[in-house]
Amino acid sequence: MKRSVELIMEEKQVCCSHHKTKERSEKEYKDLLNRLSRIEGQIRGIRRMVENDAYCPEILVQVSAANAALNSFNKVLLANHIRTCVAEDIREGKEETIDELVATLQKLMK
């Protein structure tokens, strides 16, 4: 039993590019969740606008604001990923992380 607990703890310490999980600092975690909560509120507001037959341009402006908020979220998340996971993997000589980053950037830029 102790061995499996140790393995779980070791896996949590490994960067996100290998086990597809990442342990975040409390500050990073709260910041990301706060951003997502605001975006979620924006989306609910857009839904209410549609339900209340709001004028199309007003809805479009709110959709644009929600898109900008999602883009901002992506920028923060990507910067954190590069500063932590990518940098750590490069220091450890794990070149495949660069390929993963390039593939991720290509998907984001579609």
Side-chain angles (χ1 to χ4, degrees):
M1 180 68 175
K2 185 179 181 193
R3 174 87 174 120
S4 64
V5 170
E6 289 172 358
L7 283 175
I8 291 170
M9 294 306 290
E10 284 177 25
E11 286 180 8
K12 283 190 170 194
Q13 293 173 0
V14 173
C15 192
C16 59
S17 62
H18 301 288
H19 292 283
K20 306 300 182 201
T21 62
K22 179 180 188 230
E23 193 169 314
R24 294 178 171 80
S25 71
E26 179 133 358
K27 182 184 180 320
E28 180 184 2
Y29 178 78
K30 284 183 179 181
D31 178 55
L32 292 173
L33 288 183
N34 285 339
R35 285 173 178 271
L36 288 172
S37 291
R38 285 193 301 272
I39 293 165
E40 188 177 27
Q42 286 178 295
I43 300 302
R44 282 193 306 270
I46 293 167
R47 180 186 182 108
R48 279 191 302 277
M49 291 176 79
V50 171
E51 291 170 346
N52 294 329
D53 298 322
Y55 191 52
C56 297
E58 293 172 8
I59 297 171
L60 291 167
V61 168
Q62 292 307 310
V63 169
S64 179
N67 280 330
L70 280 169
N71 285 334
S72 179
F73 177 87
N74 268 352
K75 289 175 191 175
V76 169
L77 188 60
L78 180 61
N80 288 342
H81 177 63
I82 291 170
R83 286 186 185 108
T84 57
C85 298
V86 174
E88 182 179 320
D89 281 357
I90 289 171
R91 281 191 291 272
E92 293 174 3
K94 298 175 182 171
E95 298 291 322
E96 65 273 8
T97 299
I98 295 170
D99 295 332
E100 180 188 64
L101 177 60
V102 168
T104 299
L105 289 172
Q106 288 172 338
K107 289 176 186 175
L108 291 175
M109 293 182 186
K110 283 187 177 180

